Amino acid sequence: MKQKEIGKLPPFSVAMCVYAGDNAEWFGEALQSITLKQTVRPDEIVIVVDGPVPKTIKNVIHKYMEISVQESFCLKPVWLEKNRGLGNALKIAVSQCQYEIIARMDSDDIARRSRFKTQLEILDLNPHIDVVGGDISEFIGDKQNVVGKRTLPVTDKEIKRYAKKRCPFNHMTVMYRKAAVMKAGGYQDWFWNEDYYLWIRMQERGMVFANTGTVLVDVRVGEEMYRRRGGWKYYKSEIRLQKYMLDHRVISYGAYVMNCSKRFIVQVLMTSRMREWTYKALIRS
């Protein structure tokens, strides 16, 4: 990466989504981690409220709207009458962001203190990079109760090689250029694979990727996460994406067969407990 003196960092937006099933307390912690506890705060936070939500979540949004006035950042909620799913909600969120650089954040995770500064410096020094993500630390209950870590390749070449087997970014950590995302068609509805599908389409268009090689976000996990990553519906979504990659010559037929076979074992044949052990022992570090 280029080396030059870093001047004033560019303004940026944060794209978030929240829906009725989210935990209001965790949502508040997520917002706190990207505002009051960040070394570099966002200039704008766009929160797409994906359908009707309970009063507890509304209260968190109203609380941080008041804080945004005091702390000089813009918080813009976008209220949807019906739940439209993550892919559609994110498409709306990105379109509503006014700044060229956008960071993703999930509604129940905790950003590390220097997350945005780290990513902004990389994008500022390397205008050819379109997406920069990072590693995650996974915890249950208390943030100190770390149960896993997902470490990803750092360079563009390594990331694109990794993408032939698995999703090359931790979605909740990414920061990207809006123009590059829009050029690839933006987010689209794809069950549990909205992000992976986007990265593949960006790769096809020659976008340049990077990961920091450092942990940027602490991520909540639990038995529910491993349950969601199994079953026929999830498997069919994964296989449909693998077929897209095969048809578009991102992967070979041999890689397609191997990827589909591994996913069938993990997502269909294994119980949630077995899947949890596999992720922790073999897939996560």
Side-chain angles (χ1 to χ4, degrees):
M1 295 181 183
K2 297 179 181 178
Q3 296 296 320
K4 72 173 186 179
E5 184 178 352
I6 297 174
K8 183 180 179 180
L9 293 172
F12 71 103
S13 303
V14 174
M16 295 183 71
C17 298
V18 65
Y19 80 112
D22 285 328
N23 181 299
E25 181 181 352
W26 296 349
F27 178 41
E29 289 182 28
L31 282 172
Q32 182 183 55
S33 76
I34 61 171
T35 55
L36 304 179
K37 293 190 175 182
Q38 275 297 305
T39 55
V40 175
R41 295 179 185 176
D43 299 270
E44 172 189 61
I45 302 173
V46 175
I47 302 175
V48 172
V49 185
D50 193 12
V53 293
K55 186 176 181 180
T56 51
I57 288 178
K58 292 179 181 178
N59 289 342
V60 173
I61 293 173
H62 293 145
K63 172 184 175 181
Y64 274 87
M65 288 182 71
E66 294 177 1
I67 291 174
S68 70
V69 174
Q70 301 167 6
E71 300 293 333
S72 301
F73 63 87
C74 173
L75 191 149
K76 182 166 66 174
V78 179
W79 305 88
L80 304 182
E81 291 185 3
K82 296 181 180 180
N83 180 275
R84 298 179 61 179
L86 183 60
N88 292 321
L90 283 174
K91 193 177 187 72
I92 294 170
V94 169
S95 70
Q96 291 294 313
C97 290
Q98 64 173 308
Y99 296 109
E100 167 60 14
I101 295 177
I102 301 174
R104 268 285 292 124
M105 182 64 185
D106 278 350
S107 59
D108 54 359
D109 298 327
I110 302 172
R112 292 283 176 98
R113 183 171 174 79
S114 62
R115 176 202 163 172
F116 294 147
K117 181 175 184 291
T118 299
Q119 292 175 288
L120 282 172
E121 288 178 349
I122 290 173
L123 292 177
D124 190 46
L125 292 174
N126 301 273
H128 63 289
I129 292 178
D130 297 293
V131 185
V132 58
D135 299 341
I136 58 173
S137 174
E138 297 175 324
F139 70 96
I140 296 177
D142 188 274
K143 191 172 68 171
Q144 306 305 319
N145 182 30
V146 177
V147 297
K149 180 180 177 183
R150 187 170 190 240
T151 303
L152 293 170
V154 172
T155 68
D156 180 66
K157 184 177 181 180
E158 293 171 332
I159 291 169
K160 288 173 179 173
R161 185 186 301 121
Y162 187 89
K164 295 177 183 294
K165 299 182 294 184
R166 296 183 62 209
C167 184
F169 289 109
N170 291 310
H171 190 198
M172 69 290 291
T173 73
V174 295
M175 181 179 279
Y176 41 59
R177 302 188 193 276
K178 181 176 180 178
V181 170
M182 299 302 283
K183 185 177 179 180
Y187 285 99
Q188 297 181 23
D189 189 29
W190 195 298
F191 181 71
W192 284 113
N193 278 298
E194 298 88 356
D195 56 327
Y196 199 172
Y197 183 39
L198 175 59
W199 314 140
I200 295 302
R201 286 181 284 119
M202 293 183 76
Q203 178 175 328
E204 289 181 276
R205 288 159 179 79
M207 309 303 182
V208 180
F209 299 155
N211 278 308
T212 64
T214 59
V215 173
L216 298 181
V217 178
D218 294 302
V219 175
R220 297 180 192 276
V221 297
E223 187 176 344
E224 177 61 29
M225 182 192 76
Y226 301 107
R227 188 179 298 113
R228 289 198 307 265
R229 290 184 176 178
W232 279 104
K233 187 175 181 180
Y234 188 82
Y235 174 71
K236 289 178 180 178
S237 174
E238 289 263 12
I239 298 314
R240 191 160 60 97
L241 183 57
Q242 293 296 318
K243 184 62 165 57
Y244 175 91
M245 293 166 65
L246 174 65
D247 292 344
H248 288 248
R249 300 183 179 180
V250 177
I251 58 175
S252 66
Y253 183 74
Y256 169 77
V257 172
M258 181 65 71
N259 290 345
C260 292
S261 300
K262 289 180 178 178
R263 283 162 171 76
F264 181 76
I265 294 171
V266 174
Q267 296 164 7
V268 178
L269 297 184
M270 288 186 177
T271 63
S272 295
R273 287 293 180 90
M274 292 172 64
R275 192 176 303 117
E276 179 178 358
W277 181 89
T278 301
Y279 269 92
K280 289 180 179 179
L282 302 178
I283 299 177
R284 297 296 198 253
S285 60

mmCIF file of all heavy atoms in Angstrom, residues 201-239:
data_model
loop_
_atom_site.group_PDB
_atom_site.id
_atom_site.type_symbol
_atom_site.label_atom_id
_atom_site.label_comp_id
_atom_site.label_asym_id
_atom_site.label_seq_id
_atom_site.Cartn_x
_atom_site.Cartn_y
_atom_site.Cartn_z
ATOM 1 N N ARG A 201 -19.905 -10.124 -7.634
ATOM 2 C CA ARG A 201 -20.203 -9.219 -8.743
ATOM 3 C C ARG A 201 -19.204 -8.065 -8.830
ATOM 4 O O ARG A 201 -18.839 -7.621 -9.918
ATOM 5 C CB ARG A 201 -21.634 -8.690 -8.614
ATOM 6 C CG ARG A 201 -22.675 -9.749 -8.977
ATOM 7 C CD ARG A 201 -24.094 -9.219 -8.878
ATOM 8 N NE ARG A 201 -24.535 -9.103 -7.496
ATOM 9 C CZ ARG A 201 -24.897 -7.979 -6.906
ATOM 10 N NH1 ARG A 201 -24.865 -6.830 -7.562
ATOM 11 N NH2 ARG A 201 -25.302 -7.983 -5.654
ATOM 12 N N MET A 202 -18.735 -7.607 -7.692
ATOM 13 C CA MET A 202 -17.710 -6.565 -7.698
ATOM 14 C C MET A 202 -16.390 -7.112 -8.232
ATOM 15 O O MET A 202 -15.666 -6.438 -8.975
ATOM 16 C CB MET A 202 -17.529 -5.990 -6.283
ATOM 17 C CG MET A 202 -18.738 -5.212 -5.785
ATOM 18 S SD MET A 202 -18.499 -4.469 -4.143
ATOM 19 C CE MET A 202 -17.449 -3.068 -4.570
ATOM 20 N N GLN A 203 -16.086 -8.340 -7.838
ATOM 21 C CA GLN A 203 -14.869 -8.995 -8.347
ATOM 22 C C GLN A 203 -14.924 -9.133 -9.861
ATOM 23 O O GLN A 203 -13.926 -8.894 -10.558
ATOM 24 C CB GLN A 203 -14.714 -10.368 -7.694
ATOM 25 C CG GLN A 203 -13.507 -11.155 -8.172
ATOM 26 C CD GLN A 203 -13.325 -12.457 -7.419
ATOM 27 O OE1 GLN A 203 -13.663 -12.545 -6.242
ATOM 28 N NE2 GLN A 203 -12.784 -13.463 -8.079
ATOM 29 N N GLU A 204 -16.077 -9.508 -10.387
ATOM 30 C CA GLU A 204 -16.228 -9.653 -11.831
ATOM 31 C C GLU A 204 -15.951 -8.342 -12.566
ATOM 32 O O GLU A 204 -15.508 -8.350 -13.718
ATOM 33 C CB GLU A 204 -17.644 -10.122 -12.169
ATOM 34 C CG GLU A 204 -17.937 -11.564 -11.790
ATOM 35 C CD GLU A 204 -19.354 -11.945 -12.188
ATOM 36 O OE1 GLU A 204 -20.298 -11.669 -11.426
ATOM 37 O OE2 GLU A 204 -19.504 -12.493 -13.287
ATOM 38 N N ARG A 205 -16.219 -7.224 -11.901
ATOM 39 C CA ARG A 205 -16.037 -5.917 -12.517
ATOM 40 C C ARG A 205 -14.682 -5.296 -12.211
ATOM 41 O O ARG A 205 -14.455 -4.113 -12.463
ATOM 42 C CB ARG A 205 -17.182 -4.988 -12.089
ATOM 43 C CG ARG A 205 -18.501 -5.371 -12.747
ATOM 44 C CD ARG A 205 -19.698 -4.845 -11.987
ATOM 45 N NE ARG A 205 -20.948 -5.202 -12.656
ATOM 46 C CZ ARG A 205 -21.515 -6.397 -12.589
ATOM 47 N NH1 ARG A 205 -20.951 -7.366 -11.874
ATOM 48 N NH2 ARG A 205 -22.642 -6.641 -13.219
ATOM 49 N N GLY A 206 -13.801 -6.100 -11.637
ATOM 50 C CA GLY A 206 -12.437 -5.648 -11.421
ATOM 51 C C GLY A 206 -12.209 -4.763 -10.219
ATOM 52 O O GLY A 206 -11.181 -4.080 -10.125
ATOM 53 N N MET A 207 -13.144 -4.747 -9.269
ATOM 54 C CA MET A 207 -12.959 -3.943 -8.057
ATOM 55 C C MET A 207 -11.800 -4.512 -7.235
ATOM 56 O O MET A 207 -11.522 -5.709 -7.268
ATOM 57 C CB MET A 207 -14.236 -3.922 -7.224
ATOM 58 C CG MET A 207 -15.492 -3.554 -7.988
ATOM 59 S SD MET A 207 -15.389 -1.967 -8.819
ATOM 60 C CE MET A 207 -17.021 -1.850 -9.547
ATOM 61 N N VAL A 208 -11.164 -3.646 -6.484
ATOM 62 C CA VAL A 208 -9.985 -4.024 -5.707
ATOM 63 C C VAL A 208 -10.358 -4.163 -4.231
ATOM 64 O O VAL A 208 -11.011 -3.284 -3.661
ATOM 65 C CB VAL A 208 -8.856 -2.989 -5.877
ATOM 66 C CG1 VAL A 208 -7.628 -3.390 -5.054
ATOM 67 C CG2 VAL A 208 -8.483 -2.850 -7.350
ATOM 68 N N PHE A 209 -9.923 -5.270 -3.626
ATOM 69 C CA PHE A 209 -10.274 -5.613 -2.259
ATOM 70 C C PHE A 209 -9.064 -5.555 -1.323
ATOM 71 O O PHE A 209 -7.926 -5.733 -1.746
ATOM 72 C CB PHE A 209 -10.854 -7.029 -2.195
ATOM 73 C CG PHE A 209 -12.111 -7.230 -2.997
ATOM 74 C CD1 PHE A 209 -12.444 -8.501 -3.464
ATOM 75 C CD2 PHE A 209 -12.961 -6.176 -3.274
ATOM 76 C CE1 PHE A 209 -13.612 -8.717 -4.189
ATOM 77 C CE2 PHE A 209 -14.128 -6.372 -3.995
ATOM 78 C CZ PHE A 209 -14.453 -7.644 -4.462
ATOM 79 N N ALA A 210 -9.352 -5.374 -0.032
ATOM 80 C CA ALA A 210 -8.311 -5.441 1.000
ATOM 81 C C ALA A 210 -8.954 -5.771 2.338
ATOM 82 O O ALA A 210 -10.138 -5.483 2.563
ATOM 83 C CB ALA A 210 -7.551 -4.127 1.095
ATOM 84 N N ASN A 211 -8.194 -6.390 3.217
ATOM 85 C CA ASN A 211 -8.567 -6.567 4.617
ATOM 86 C C ASN A 211 -7.419 -6.033 5.466
ATOM 87 O O ASN A 211 -6.260 -6.052 5.048
ATOM 88 C CB ASN A 211 -8.830 -8.043 4.948
ATOM 89 C CG ASN A 211 -10.233 -8.487 4.557
ATOM 90 O OD1 ASN A 211 -11.221 -7.861 4.930
ATOM 91 N ND2 ASN A 211 -10.321 -9.580 3.801
ATOM 92 N N THR A 212 -7.743 -5.544 6.654
ATOM 93 C CA THR A 212 -6.733 -4.909 7.489
ATOM 94 C C THR A 212 -5.790 -5.895 8.162
ATOM 95 O O THR A 212 -4.675 -5.543 8.542
ATOM 96 C CB THR A 212 -7.393 -4.056 8.592
ATOM 97 O OG1 THR A 212 -8.130 -4.929 9.463
ATOM 98 C CG2 THR A 212 -8.324 -3.015 7.992
ATOM 99 N N GLY A 213 -6.258 -7.146 8.374
ATOM 100 C CA GLY A 213 -5.458 -8.104 9.121
ATOM 101 C C GLY A 213 -5.563 -7.906 10.618
ATOM 102 O O GLY A 213 -4.828 -8.536 11.393
ATOM 103 N N THR A 214 -6.480 -7.044 11.045
ATOM 104 C CA THR A 214 -6.701 -6.775 12.468
ATOM 105 C C THR A 214 -8.177 -6.921 12.791
ATOM 106 O O THR A 214 -9.035 -6.797 11.915
ATOM 107 C CB THR A 214 -6.257 -5.347 12.839
ATOM 108 O OG1 THR A 214 -7.008 -4.400 12.048
ATOM 109 C CG2 THR A 214 -4.776 -5.152 12.581
ATOM 110 N N VAL A 215 -8.497 -7.156 14.062
ATOM 111 C CA VAL A 215 -9.892 -7.268 14.481
ATOM 112 C C VAL A 215 -10.520 -5.875 14.512
ATOM 113 O O VAL A 215 -10.011 -4.963 15.164
ATOM 114 C CB VAL A 215 -10.000 -7.925 15.871
ATOM 115 C CG1 VAL A 215 -11.451 -7.881 16.363
ATOM 116 C CG2 VAL A 215 -9.509 -9.368 15.821
ATOM 117 N N LEU A 216 -11.640 -5.723 13.815
ATOM 118 C CA LEU A 216 -12.342 -4.439 13.758
ATOM 119 C C LEU A 216 -13.654 -4.450 14.537
ATOM 120 O O LEU A 216 -14.109 -3.410 15.002
ATOM 121 C CB LEU A 216 -12.639 -4.055 12.301
ATOM 122 C CG LEU A 216 -11.445 -3.851 11.373
ATOM 123 C CD1 LEU A 216 -11.939 -3.447 9.988
ATOM 124 C CD2 LEU A 216 -10.489 -2.804 11.926
ATOM 125 N N VAL A 217 -14.254 -5.641 14.670
ATOM 126 C CA VAL A 217 -15.569 -5.721 15.309
ATOM 127 C C VAL A 217 -15.646 -6.966 16.195
ATOM 128 O O VAL A 217 -15.160 -8.033 15.819
ATOM 129 C CB VAL A 217 -16.698 -5.789 14.249
ATOM 130 C CG1 VAL A 217 -18.061 -5.916 14.916
ATOM 131 C CG2 VAL A 217 -16.675 -4.558 13.341
ATOM 132 N N ASP A 218 -16.254 -6.783 17.367
ATOM 133 C CA ASP A 218 -16.567 -7.908 18.249
ATOM 134 C C ASP A 218 -17.993 -8.339 17.943
ATOM 135 O O ASP A 218 -18.931 -7.526 17.994
ATOM 136 C CB ASP A 218 -16.441 -7.492 19.716
ATOM 137 C CG ASP A 218 -15.004 -7.166 20.085
ATOM 138 O OD1 ASP A 218 -14.145 -8.043 19.916
ATOM 139 O OD2 ASP A 218 -14.743 -6.026 20.530
ATOM 140 N N VAL A 219 -18.175 -9.620 17.619
ATOM 141 C CA VAL A 219 -19.437 -10.126 17.092
ATOM 142 C C VAL A 219 -20.098 -11.106 18.057
ATOM 143 O O VAL A 219 -19.453 -12.036 18.551
ATOM 144 C CB VAL A 219 -19.196 -10.820 15.730
ATOM 145 C CG1 VAL A 219 -20.477 -11.466 15.210
ATOM 146 C CG2 VAL A 219 -18.646 -9.814 14.723
ATOM 147 N N ARG A 220 -21.379 -10.887 18.310
ATOM 148 C CA ARG A 220 -22.140 -11.790 19.170
ATOM 149 C C ARG A 220 -22.489 -13.070 18.406
ATOM 150 O O ARG A 220 -22.981 -13.008 17.279
ATOM 151 C CB ARG A 220 -23.435 -11.135 19.627
ATOM 152 C CG ARG A 220 -23.247 -9.900 20.470
ATOM 153 C CD ARG A 220 -24.592 -9.315 20.867
ATOM 154 N NE ARG A 220 -24.434 -7.988 21.428
ATOM 155 C CZ ARG A 220 -24.131 -7.741 22.709
ATOM 156 N NH1 ARG A 220 -23.986 -8.753 23.541
ATOM 157 N NH2 ARG A 220 -23.984 -6.508 23.141
ATOM 158 N N VAL A 221 -22.249 -14.198 19.032
ATOM 159 C CA VAL A 221 -22.623 -15.476 18.429
ATOM 160 C C VAL A 221 -23.320 -16.317 19.495
ATOM 161 O O VAL A 221 -23.335 -15.974 20.662
ATOM 162 C CB VAL A 221 -21.399 -16.240 17.874
ATOM 163 C CG1 VAL A 221 -20.734 -15.461 16.760
ATOM 164 C CG2 VAL A 221 -20.391 -16.547 18.985
ATOM 165 N N GLY A 222 -23.863 -17.421 19.058
ATOM 166 C CA GLY A 222 -24.540 -18.325 19.978
ATOM 167 C C GLY A 222 -25.121 -19.477 19.203
ATOM 168 O O GLY A 222 -24.934 -19.600 17.987
ATOM 169 N N GLU A 223 -25.842 -20.332 19.894
ATOM 170 C CA GLU A 223 -26.418 -21.514 19.253
ATOM 171 C C GLU A 223 -27.343 -21.132 18.120
ATOM 172 O O GLU A 223 -27.427 -21.821 17.105
ATOM 173 C CB GLU A 223 -27.182 -22.346 20.292
ATOM 174 C CG GLU A 223 -27.676 -23.673 19.736
ATOM 175 C CD GLU A 223 -28.342 -24.520 20.808
ATOM 176 O OE1 GLU A 223 -28.155 -24.236 21.996
ATOM 177 O OE2 GLU A 223 -29.052 -25.465 20.417
ATOM 178 N N GLU A 224 -28.041 -19.993 18.246
ATOM 179 C CA GLU A 224 -28.966 -19.558 17.214
ATOM 180 C C GLU A 224 -28.244 -19.300 15.890
ATOM 181 O O GLU A 224 -28.771 -19.595 14.810
ATOM 182 C CB GLU A 224 -29.689 -18.279 17.662
ATOM 183 C CG GLU A 224 -30.636 -17.683 16.634
ATOM 184 C CD GLU A 224 -31.760 -18.628 16.241
ATOM 185 O OE1 GLU A 224 -32.152 -19.466 17.068
ATOM 186 O OE2 GLU A 224 -32.239 -18.513 15.103
ATOM 187 N N MET A 225 -27.027 -18.774 15.958
ATOM 188 C CA MET A 225 -26.267 -18.504 14.743
ATOM 189 C C MET A 225 -25.973 -19.800 13.993
ATOM 190 O O MET A 225 -26.117 -19.868 12.768
ATOM 191 C CB MET A 225 -24.947 -17.803 15.078
ATOM 192 C CG MET A 225 -24.124 -17.459 13.844
ATOM 193 S SD MET A 225 -22.433 -16.955 14.216
ATOM 194 C CE MET A 225 -21.663 -18.537 14.589
ATOM 195 N N TYR A 226 -25.569 -20.828 14.710
ATOM 196 C CA TYR A 226 -25.246 -22.098 14.063
ATOM 197 C C TYR A 226 -26.501 -22.780 13.527
ATOM 198 O O TYR A 226 -26.450 -23.470 12.512
ATOM 199 C CB TYR A 226 -24.516 -23.002 15.052
ATOM 200 C CG TYR A 226 -23.238 -22.373 15.563
ATOM 201 C CD1 TYR A 226 -23.148 -21.878 16.860
ATOM 202 C CD2 TYR A 226 -22.129 -22.236 14.734
ATOM 203 C CE1 TYR A 226 -21.989 -21.282 17.322
ATOM 204 C CE2 TYR A 226 -20.956 -21.636 15.192
ATOM 205 C CZ TYR A 226 -20.900 -21.163 16.487
ATOM 206 O OH TYR A 226 -19.757 -20.558 16.926
ATOM 207 N N ARG A 227 -27.635 -22.558 14.201
ATOM 208 C CA ARG A 227 -28.891 -23.112 13.709
ATOM 209 C C ARG A 227 -29.286 -22.435 12.396
ATOM 210 O O ARG A 227 -29.756 -23.075 11.460
ATOM 211 C CB ARG A 227 -29.990 -22.914 14.758
ATOM 212 C CG ARG A 227 -31.293 -23.617 14.417
ATOM 213 C CD ARG A 227 -32.350 -23.414 15.491
ATOM 214 N NE ARG A 227 -31.934 -23.978 16.761
ATOM 215 C CZ ARG A 227 -31.668 -23.256 17.850
ATOM 216 N NH1 ARG A 227 -31.787 -21.949 17.819
ATOM 217 N NH2 ARG A 227 -31.289 -23.833 18.963
ATOM 218 N N ARG A 228 -29.089 -21.112 12.319
ATOM 219 C CA ARG A 228 -29.422 -20.375 11.100
ATOM 220 C C ARG A 228 -28.565 -20.814 9.922
ATOM 221 O O ARG A 228 -28.990 -20.730 8.771
ATOM 222 C CB ARG A 228 -29.218 -18.863 11.313
ATOM 223 C CG ARG A 228 -30.231 -18.201 12.227
ATOM 224 C CD ARG A 228 -30.228 -16.704 12.017
ATOM 225 N NE ARG A 228 -28.909 -16.123 12.138
ATOM 226 C CZ ARG A 228 -28.417 -15.590 13.250
ATOM 227 N NH1 ARG A 228 -29.140 -15.590 14.351
ATOM 228 N NH2 ARG A 228 -27.204 -15.060 13.276
ATOM 229 N N ARG A 229 -27.357 -21.267 10.201
ATOM 230 C CA ARG A 229 -26.447 -21.642 9.128
ATOM 231 C C ARG A 229 -26.625 -23.086 8.682
ATOM 232 O O ARG A 229 -25.734 -23.669 8.080
ATOM 233 C CB ARG A 229 -25.006 -21.397 9.576
ATOM 234 C CG ARG A 229 -24.689 -19.912 9.689
ATOM 235 C CD ARG A 229 -23.257 -19.655 10.024
ATOM 236 N NE ARG A 229 -22.975 -18.236 10.033
ATOM 237 C CZ ARG A 229 -21.798 -17.711 10.344
ATOM 238 N NH1 ARG A 229 -20.803 -18.503 10.671
ATOM 239 N NH2 ARG A 229 -21.610 -16.407 10.325
ATOM 240 N N GLY A 230 -27.766 -23.650 8.973
ATOM 241 C CA GLY A 230 -28.048 -25.004 8.553
ATOM 242 C C GLY A 230 -29.448 -25.112 7.975
ATOM 243 O O GLY A 230 -30.229 -24.168 8.008
ATOM 244 N N GLY A 231 -29.749 -26.262 7.416
ATOM 245 C CA GLY A 231 -31.069 -26.502 6.862
ATOM 246 C C GLY A 231 -31.096 -26.369 5.340
ATOM 247 O O GLY A 231 -30.188 -25.822 4.726
ATOM 248 N N TRP A 232 -32.154 -26.915 4.752
ATOM 249 C CA TRP A 232 -32.261 -26.965 3.292
ATOM 250 C C TRP A 232 -32.347 -25.585 2.665
ATOM 251 O O TRP A 232 -31.785 -25.337 1.601
ATOM 252 C CB TRP A 232 -33.473 -27.802 2.894
ATOM 253 C CG TRP A 232 -33.197 -29.272 2.931
ATOM 254 C CD1 TRP A 232 -33.604 -30.159 3.875
ATOM 255 C CD2 TRP A 232 -32.428 -30.023 1.979
ATOM 256 N NE1 TRP A 232 -33.141 -31.424 3.585
ATOM 257 C CE2 TRP A 232 -32.423 -31.370 2.420
ATOM 258 C CE3 TRP A 232 -31.747 -29.692 0.804
ATOM 259 C CZ2 TRP A 232 -31.761 -32.370 1.727
ATOM 260 C CZ3 TRP A 232 -31.095 -30.693 0.103
ATOM 261 C CH2 TRP A 232 -31.099 -32.019 0.565
ATOM 262 N N LYS A 233 -33.057 -24.669 3.307
ATOM 263 C CA LYS A 233 -33.221 -23.338 2.719
ATOM 264 C C LYS A 233 -31.877 -22.627 2.609
ATOM 265 O O LYS A 233 -31.558 -22.017 1.575
ATOM 266 C CB LYS A 233 -34.196 -22.505 3.557
ATOM 267 C CG LYS A 233 -34.542 -21.161 2.917
ATOM 268 C CD LYS A 233 -35.594 -20.430 3.735
ATOM 269 C CE LYS A 233 -35.953 -19.098 3.072
ATOM 270 N NZ LYS A 233 -36.986 -18.357 3.847
ATOM 271 N N TYR A 234 -31.093 -22.713 3.661
ATOM 272 C CA TYR A 234 -29.762 -22.089 3.645
ATOM 273 C C TYR A 234 -28.872 -22.785 2.625
ATOM 274 O O TYR A 234 -28.141 -22.132 1.862
ATOM 275 C CB TYR A 234 -29.160 -22.173 5.049
ATOM 276 C CG TYR A 234 -27.865 -21.407 5.207
ATOM 277 C CD1 TYR A 234 -27.867 -20.041 5.447
ATOM 278 C CD2 TYR A 234 -26.643 -22.066 5.137
ATOM 279 C CE1 TYR A 234 -26.678 -19.341 5.602
ATOM 280 C CE2 TYR A 234 -25.454 -21.372 5.285
ATOM 281 C CZ TYR A 234 -25.475 -20.015 5.519
ATOM 282 O OH TYR A 234 -24.296 -19.331 5.659
ATOM 283 N N TYR A 235 -28.929 -24.104 2.596
ATOM 284 C CA TYR A 235 -28.102 -24.868 1.659
ATOM 285 C C TYR A 235 -28.449 -24.529 0.211
ATOM 286 O O TYR A 235 -27.563 -24.312 -0.626
ATOM 287 C CB TYR A 235 -28.291 -26.367 1.908
ATOM 288 C CG TYR A 235 -27.597 -27.248 0.905
ATOM 289 C CD1 TYR A 235 -26.204 -27.366 0.885
ATOM 290 C CD2 TYR A 235 -28.335 -27.975 -0.042
ATOM 291 C CE1 TYR A 235 -25.561 -28.166 -0.043
ATOM 292 C CE2 TYR A 235 -27.699 -28.782 -0.962
ATOM 293 C CZ TYR A 235 -26.311 -28.874 -0.975
ATOM 294 O OH TYR A 235 -25.673 -29.661 -1.898
ATOM 295 N N LYS A 236 -29.741 -24.460 -0.105
ATOM 296 C CA LYS A 236 -30.154 -24.146 -1.470
ATOM 297 C C LYS A 236 -29.694 -22.756 -1.887
ATOM 298 O O LYS A 236 -29.313 -22.532 -3.041
ATOM 299 C CB LYS A 236 -31.672 -24.255 -1.599
ATOM 300 C CG LYS A 236 -32.191 -25.686 -1.541
ATOM 301 C CD LYS A 236 -33.710 -25.725 -1.625
ATOM 302 C CE LYS A 236 -34.221 -27.159 -1.559
ATOM 303 N NZ LYS A 236 -35.717 -27.203 -1.598
ATOM 304 N N SER A 237 -29.721 -21.816 -0.956
ATOM 305 C CA SER A 237 -29.238 -20.470 -1.248
ATOM 306 C C SER A 237 -27.749 -20.494 -1.573
ATOM 307 O O SER A 237 -27.284 -19.842 -2.524
ATOM 308 C CB SER A 237 -29.496 -19.546 -0.042
ATOM 309 O OG SER A 237 -28.909 -18.278 -0.246
ATOM 310 N N GLU A 238 -26.994 -21.263 -0.792
ATOM 311 C CA GLU A 238 -25.553 -21.381 -1.014
ATOM 312 C C GLU A 238 -25.257 -22.032 -2.369
ATOM 313 O O GLU A 238 -24.386 -21.571 -3.113
ATOM 314 C CB GLU A 238 -24.933 -22.223 0.105
ATOM 315 C CG GLU A 238 -24.874 -21.535 1.455
ATOM 316 C CD GLU A 238 -23.520 -20.908 1.705
ATOM 317 O OE1 GLU A 238 -22.711 -20.814 0.764
ATOM 318 O OE2 GLU A 238 -23.269 -20.519 2.853
ATOM 319 N N ILE A 239 -25.990 -23.076 -2.697
ATOM 320 C CA ILE A 239 -25.741 -23.791 -3.948
ATOM 321 C C ILE A 239 -26.107 -22.930 -5.152
ATOM 322 O O ILE A 239 -25.446 -22.970 -6.198
ATOM 323 C CB ILE A 239 -26.518 -25.128 -3.965
ATOM 324 C CG1 ILE A 239 -26.029 -26.016 -2.823
ATOM 325 C CG2 ILE A 239 -26.348 -25.827 -5.306
ATOM 326 C CD1 ILE A 239 -24.521 -26.105 -2.679
#
